[in-house]
Amino acid sequence: MDIYQVDAFTETLFKGNPAAIIPLKKWMNSEDMQHIAAENNLSETAFLVKKSEDRYGIRWFTPETEVDLCGHATLASAHVLFEHLGFSGEKIRFDSHSGELNVQKKDNLYWLDFPSQPPSPVSVPKLLPEAIGCIPIYTGTNVDLLILVDSEKTVQKMKPDLEILKRMDVRGVIVTAEAEESGIDFVSRFFAPAVGVPEDPVTGSAHTVLTPFWSKKLGKTEFKAKQLSKRGGTLDTILKDDRVWIGGPAVTYMTGKIEISE
């Protein structure tokens, strides 16, 4: 099988979020896909099956489990189709566990059309202050737990206790604050030790929660966002009714072959 490794949400190698992309002629069994994702040991491995000229099935696996939605690996998949596999249409349609997801390429950016997932306020979980080392200003949930803290510096310097986060009943934890840098609206980090991702470098799916949250807070619909992981990455996001458009570039790091005995 062919395999591609792509750095998403960056134009520079060794930045952004790496994802492995594996095009298949037909679906493998889930156990084998999970083994491959564990072997890759990246935050996400995406598998694709072509269904028609502009439509593909897509599934995403962390090293430990299959997930229902992943932004950076979808963006990386579109990059592979456009740049390596000769896709020449205007829009790629992906069928996923989260419904149809469309990706368009405009200039050097890939734009993901994802469902908006605004958070609902919840009380501060009992273990959270100990886990993150501070009292959040706001906590909300929609798939993942969203935490608003007082400053970009707090986000940047946070060293959460991953063992405590792993024990909490959440898939992932998004920490966010208003940006201090000119031209950036908000910053974030994303931790998901419960699914085998201690810290995700750049998380497209988290911005389906962040974008409607910051739209309500700042009274606007278009944003420039930055994820403050060690690798780092920037995203353009737009709230359009019940959808979030997430834009970013990508660059290929590696192409290769996987050999599995029948």
Side-chain angles (χ1 to χ4, degrees), residues 84-103:
H84 297 284
L85 300 181
F87 185 84
S88 58
E90 293 184 1
K91 180 191 297 184
I92 302 172
R93 304 174 191 275
F94 291 109
D95 291 328
S96 77
H97 291 319
S98 293
E100 182 178 301
L101 308 171
N102 298 324
V103 184

Side-chain angles (χ1 to χ4, degrees), residues 2-258:
D2 292 329
I3 182 170
Y4 303 83
Q5 189 168 319
V6 174
D7 292 340
F9 295 113
T10 181
E11 295 177 312
T12 306
L13 278 177
F14 315 123
K15 300 289 186 181
N17 201 351
I21 311 302
I22 301 172
L24 303 172
K25 294 189 184 331
K26 62 180 181 179
W27 292 117
M28 307 169 63
N29 67 66
S30 297
E31 184 178 5
D32 284 341
M33 288 191 283
Q34 187 63 70
H35 283 317
I36 291 169
E39 186 79 6
N40 291 337
N41 200 31
L42 299 171
S43 59
E44 301 286 347
T45 295
F47 297 86
L48 309 176
V49 171
K50 186 174 182 178
K51 302 173 78 172
S52 66
E53 284 305 308
D54 68 345
R55 186 177 292 274
Y56 291 78
I58 188 168
R59 293 173 68 181
W60 310 276
F61 290 78
T62 77
E64 293 189 9
T65 190
E66 184 173 8
V67 297
D68 289 337
L69 186 65
C70 176
H72 84 279
T74 305
L75 187 146
S77 297
H79 174 79
V80 167
L81 292 170
F82 274 110
E83 298 299 321
H84 297 284
L85 300 181
F87 185 84
S88 58
E90 293 184 1
K91 180 191 297 184
I92 302 172
R93 304 174 191 275
F94 291 109
D95 291 328
S96 77
H97 291 319
S98 293
E100 182 178 301
L101 308 171
N102 298 324
V103 184
Q104 300 181 51
K105 186 178 182 183
K106 295 182 180 179
D107 299 322
N108 69 327
L109 297 185
Y110 300 95
W111 284 94
L112 311 174
D113 177 3
F114 273 20
S116 175
Q117 301 187 113
S120 299
V122 294
S123 58
V124 177
K126 184 169 61 174
L127 295 174
L128 186 63
E130 181 183 356
I132 65 174
C134 67
I135 304 295
I137 296 170
Y138 165 93
T139 52
T141 185
N142 190 333
V143 182
D144 299 307
L145 183 67
L146 176 67
I147 301 166
L148 176 66
V149 296
D150 61 347
S151 70
E152 178 176 326
K153 187 176 293 185
T154 299
V155 177
Q156 182 73 71
K157 292 187 173 183
M158 186 171 290
K159 295 180 180 179
D161 187 321
L162 298 178
E163 287 304 314
I164 295 177
L165 292 184
K166 198 170 184 177
R167 297 202 306 268
M168 294 173 60
D169 188 24
V170 292
R171 186 191 74 157
V173 175
I174 309 163
V175 182
T176 190
E178 193 165 355
E180 297 170 8
E181 180 182 343
S182 176
I184 303 294
D185 294 295
F186 62 85
V187 298
S188 68
R189 291 173 70 189
F190 182 83
F191 307 96
V195 294
V197 184
E199 180 170 5
D200 196 34
V202 191
T203 315
S205 62
H207 288 76
T208 66
V209 180
L210 286 161
T211 300
F213 171 77
W214 283 107
S215 179
K216 187 174 181 179
K217 197 164 186 63
L218 299 180
K220 54 191 287 188
T221 57
E222 297 188 18
F223 303 91
K224 178 76 77 171
K226 180 177 282 190
Q227 198 150 328
L228 300 179
S229 64
K230 184 177 180 180
R231 291 174 64 100
T234 57
L235 311 89
D236 292 274
T237 74
I238 303 172
L239 181 63
K240 295 184 177 182
D241 299 320
D242 63 347
R243 308 293 293 180
V244 174
W245 285 67
I246 304 167
V251 59
T252 302
Y253 165 66
M254 179 180 68
T255 64
K257 296 283 186 182
I258 297 174

